[in-house]
Amino acid sequence: MIAEAQKNGNWIFLQNCHLAVSWMLSMEEIIKSFSEPDIVIHENFRLFLSSMPTSVFPVTVLQNSVKVTNEPPKGLRANVRRAFTEISGTFFEEHILGRKWRKIIFGVCFFHAIIQERKKFGPLGWNIRYEFNDSDRECALLNLNLYCQTGHIPWDALIYITGEITYGGRVTDAWDQRCLRTILKRFFSPETLKEEYKYSASGIYFAPESDSLSDFNSYIENLPIIDDPEIFGMHENANLAFQRQETVTLINTILEVQPRSSAAAGGKSNDEVVHELADSILNKIPEKLNMDDAAETLFVRDSNGRVNSLTTVLGQEVDRFNFLLRVLRTSLCTLQKAIAGLVVMSEEMERIYNSFLNNQVPEHWASAAYPSLKPLGSWVRDLALRSAFIESWITRGQPKSFWISGFFFPQGFLTGTLQNHARKYNLPIDELNFRFNVIPAYRDQAVITEALKNLGQGAELDQDQKLPSIEDGVLVHGMFMDSSRWDDVNMVMEDALPRVMNPMLPVVQFEPQQNYVPDPSLYHAPLYKTSARAGTLSTTGHSTNFVVTVMLPSNRPNDYWISKASALLCQLNE
């Protein structure tokens, strides 16, 4: 087709080049041949190519072409306005359903704008950044038209098709699917057709009671330019999260492009800075964790001669930490030798060197470690705290409350807890689930660790006096709340306070129960290792980021918290 068009001057449009990866090389060769002197090209010939953002598109083709990008407009007003410029007056105004039809159309367009704009909030919007585009909206409107031709609205079918197929087909995360269904309810359901229905509490956003396309366009033009988080069902703190994310992106970009210059007179050179930092890290982390020093109480056997499952979990954690500590020590010693000129500065060492200058955790370390978004300084302190927690468990025996953030693999710890309960009461482990009881007591791991260092074992005992004795399960601390807070008076979830991003959740009892059916009013809060939320499925069958669903009491409907993306985190970014 391209060869023919070159001769007769036709136009060729190759759509979705990102789907034809294997042909990209051939296409690159064809386009390179255009510049050869013996090739005759008709003056009217044009070649158009379309593609989603992809790394496989040939760079030389991009460099030699006129580029046009088509991105969704920023802001709800611009997004809905764009949708309505593509809707014809006949399609919008002349329908058997009349005003109901116009409200439904407006609701779908507004829903589309909402789910696109939620992306700006990062993980608070969606765990994974989905590329919803105009074709999704067009498809949803065509389905509407197809199913509503008789004047009857089959809500169940339409909600399923729109939420699970048209839009839900893109969504790969189960928590995002839950969020999508909840948002759809607010804009696309029988309630939205009522006369006084508003899309948000402020009453600014609603479907106009009008019959003409021009009236709807006028209403859209008068919508606020800056969107308040409440229309997304989110807390005002979500804007802070968005602005912080923009700032981090900007700073990282500046760091990547800044030139590396030598130190001014009197200042330390880069080599000296990195060497001192390596010394500092080596002093803060332990040589290794040693199970040979373990307290005898850890190895007490039950009536069937079985060792406590949590002791097995401890052994596995020690192995993981020792591997990470070995990686750190080896690379730091090699880096210091490379700076001194005793060994060759390899590419890997150079990457670690540059990471130190940027206060970033080297990739070589991150790949051997637990998930974390902390900068280098906080990451090293966090590692020292985790090592101290494990060392305290080894030498002093099982703690009264476990720091869930201190584990490499918290899912293993939870499984060990269930296994202990199954053995104790002779129950099948696959019938056990956790019930969560919040206890009004707080523990800060950093404070506990410092107290242990300074005051010895008595400090731990003082901390433990505040905690009740429990028969079954374990006490867990160290969880942070995202987009909510804990009300100590009423013992329920409550709205976050302004500018307080991640308050701590009190100690929680994870109590195993056989065939436990939670109360429907409890909010299912996912617990994540980091605030990135998105994870991948690892070889163990567990997500690399999601840990467990914690069920918490609340005085509000579950949809309220789902729209806010309320969750729990094991660790913060700082």
Side-chain angles (χ1 to χ4, degrees):
M1 284 171 70
I2 294 171
E4 284 288 311
Q6 276 178 258
K7 293 171 190 171
N8 56 32
N10 283 347
W11 289 8
I12 301 292
F13 185 13
L14 306 181
Q15 295 188 72
N16 299 322
C17 291
H18 60 284
L19 301 179
V21 176
S22 58
W23 194 69
M24 287 295 98
L25 204 60
S26 307
M27 186 185 78
E28 188 177 11
E29 292 304 316
I30 291 169
I31 291 170
K32 275 182 183 174
S33 71
F34 291 171
S35 57
E36 292 175 9
D38 54 335
I39 298 290
V40 178
I41 298 177
H42 194 286
E43 63 174 6
N44 291 333
F45 167 67
R46 297 288 184 276
L47 176 62
F48 296 88
L49 309 169
S50 77
S51 171
M52 292 284 277
T54 175
S55 57
V56 298
F57 196 88
V59 176
T60 52
V61 175
L62 276 176
Q63 288 170 338
N64 293 299
S65 58
V66 176
K67 292 168 284 294
V68 178
T69 60
N70 184 16
E71 295 183 0
K74 289 212 169 181
L76 288 178
R77 186 176 79 166
N79 212 309
V80 179
R81 182 203 286 151
R82 172 152 153 181
F84 268 73
T85 55
E86 296 173 11
I87 293 174
S88 69
T90 310
F91 176 80
F92 187 72
E93 294 171 0
E94 296 173 16
H95 195 277
I96 191 169
L97 283 170
R99 190 166 285 186
K100 284 183 181 178
W101 171 252
R102 288 180 274 286
K103 281 194 170 186
I104 294 171
I105 295 285
F106 188 79
V108 169
C109 293
F110 215 94
F111 163 73
H112 179 84
I114 289 283
I115 61 173
Q116 280 200 320
E117 282 301 301
R118 272 184 81 102
K119 284 192 287 188
K120 76 177 186 180
F121 297 110
L124 283 181
W126 301 109
N127 286 3
I128 297 166
R129 198 178 170 89
Y130 303 104
E131 292 296 332
F132 297 113
N133 56 41
D134 290 355
S135 62
D136 297 325
R137 186 188 63 239
E138 287 164 22
C139 189
L141 294 178
L142 288 171
N143 278 332
L144 273 178
N145 197 28
L146 183 69
Y147 280 82
C148 295
Q149 284 176 349
T150 59
H152 168 67
I153 309 170
W155 279 113
D156 289 347
L158 286 173
I159 288 168
Y160 186 86
I161 289 168
T162 309
E164 305 291 334
I165 300 171
T166 309
Y167 287 96
R170 289 188 186 276
V171 179
T172 53
D173 185 280
W175 299 102
D176 283 342
Q177 284 174 334
R178 178 181 78 159
C179 185
L180 185 83
R181 286 194 293 269
T182 303
I183 296 167
L184 185 63
K185 249 187 267 180
R186 285 173 48 215
F187 301 95
F188 188 67
S189 64
E191 290 76 38
T192 61
L193 302 183
K194 292 176 182 172
E195 275 198 23
E196 295 303 315
Y197 186 82
K198 308 289 184 193
Y199 292 143
S200 67
S202 67
I204 297 169
Y205 301 93
F206 56 89
E209 296 287 337
S210 179
D211 295 323
S212 72
L213 184 59
S214 60
D215 286 350
F216 274 81
N217 283 328
S218 301
Y219 168 74
I220 292 164
E221 290 303 321
N222 290 319
L223 287 175
I225 297 173
I226 297 169
D227 310 315
D228 196 277
E230 62 110 30
I231 181 58
F232 301 98
M234 303 178 89
H235 192 271
E236 61 186 84
N237 285 352
N239 259 347
L240 291 178
F242 161 60
Q243 287 157 3
R244 183 182 289 175
Q245 182 184 297
E246 295 272 284
T247 308
V248 167
T249 307
L250 177 65
I251 290 169
N252 286 341
T253 308
I254 292 168
L255 280 174
E256 284 171 12
V257 300
Q258 74 168 354
R260 290 269 168 254
S261 55
S262 57
K268 289 179 182 175
S269 68
N270 286 346
D271 283 0
E272 287 172 326
V273 170
V274 172
H275 199 286
E276 283 181 17
L277 192 52
D279 270 337
S280 168
I281 294 170
L282 283 168
N283 290 333
K284 282 176 185 167
I285 60 172
E287 188 83 36
K288 64 178 288 195
L289 300 169
N290 199 346
M291 278 297 279
D292 295 340
D293 303 333
E296 288 181 15
T297 53
L298 293 175
F299 300 100
V300 174
R301 296 176 180 270
D302 64 9
S303 56
N304 293 319
R306 295 172 298 201
V307 175
N308 189 319
S309 293
L310 293 184
T311 302
T312 310
V313 171
L314 175 62
Q316 293 165 348
E317 288 291 318
V318 166
D319 290 343
R320 290 188 183 101
F321 273 103
N322 281 340
F323 175 72
L324 174 59
L325 292 169
R326 195 161 56 247
V327 167
L328 261 66
R329 286 199 167 271
T330 306
S331 58
L332 286 169
C333 293
T334 308
L335 180 63
Q336 287 183 324
K337 286 177 183 174
I339 290 169
L342 301 174
V343 296
V344 175
M345 177 73 82
S346 66
E347 194 178 336
E348 190 177 274
M349 287 301 115
E350 196 168 343
R351 281 200 291 268
I352 295 175
Y353 184 98
N354 290 330
S355 298
F356 277 19
L357 292 175
N358 291 337
N359 192 26
Q360 293 169 338
V361 180
E363 280 182 34
H364 180 55
W365 294 4
S367 59
Y370 39 82
S372 180
L373 301 176
K374 293 179 182 288
L376 182 63
S378 303
W379 188 87
V380 172
R381 182 171 177 273
D382 183 54
L383 174 60
L385 285 174
R386 288 170 187 249
S387 305
F389 163 66
I390 297 293
E391 198 168 2
S392 168
W393 186 353
I394 293 169
T395 54
R396 294 184 170 83
Q398 200 166 295
K400 194 160 185 186
S401 177
F402 292 87
W403 184 36
I404 196 162
S405 317
F407 290 97
F408 239 93
F409 187 54
Q411 293 97 324
F413 160 69
L414 298 176
T415 305
T417 303
L418 291 176
Q419 194 170 46
N420 273 348
H421 190 83
R423 287 174 178 179
K424 183 178 176 182
Y425 295 102
N426 204 21
L427 298 170
I429 192 169
D430 58 345
E431 289 182 6
L432 294 179
N433 284 312
F434 284 116
R435 185 171 76 189
F436 303 91
N437 308 313
V438 182
I439 292 158
Y442 290 86
R443 281 165 69 98
D444 186 329
Q445 191 59 33
V447 172
I448 294 166
T449 308
E450 286 303 313
L452 282 170
K453 283 179 186 172
N454 299 333
L455 304 173
Q457 194 168 354
E460 176 121 313
L461 295 173
D462 289 345
Q463 289 276 344
D464 286 347
Q465 282 171 2
K466 300 172 188 173
L467 300 176
S469 295
I470 54 168
E471 276 293 311
D472 299 321
V474 289
L475 295 177
V476 166
H477 66 275
M479 292 181 282
F480 298 91
M481 304 186 76
D482 204 5
S483 298
S484 59
R485 68 179 171 89
W486 187 254
D487 182 349
D488 288 322
V489 178
N490 300 312
M491 295 300 285
V492 290
M493 286 174 72
E494 196 46 81
D495 262 338
L497 297 171
R499 295 184 296 285
V500 180
M501 300 300 288
N502 298 109
M504 190 171 267
L505 184 69
V507 174
V508 179
Q509 180 191 5
F510 284 46
E511 183 186 4
Q513 297 270 306
Q514 188 177 13
N515 297 323
Y516 173 58
V517 180
D519 189 301
S521 66
L522 293 174
Y523 173 63
H524 291 230
L527 172 64
Y528 297 103
K529 294 179 187 176
T530 71
S531 64
R533 299 198 181 193
T536 54
L537 201 64
S538 63
T539 50
T540 60
H542 295 84
S543 165
T544 51
N545 207 350
F546 171 72
V547 179
V548 70
T549 305
V550 179
M551 282 152 275
L552 298 171
S554 160
N555 288 335
R556 300 173 189 269
N558 282 339
D559 287 357
Y560 181 82
W561 300 113
I562 293 170
S563 297
K564 279 182 164 41
S566 297
L568 301 175
L569 306 175
C570 285
Q571 56 169 300
L572 305 181
N573 294 2
E574 292 300 326

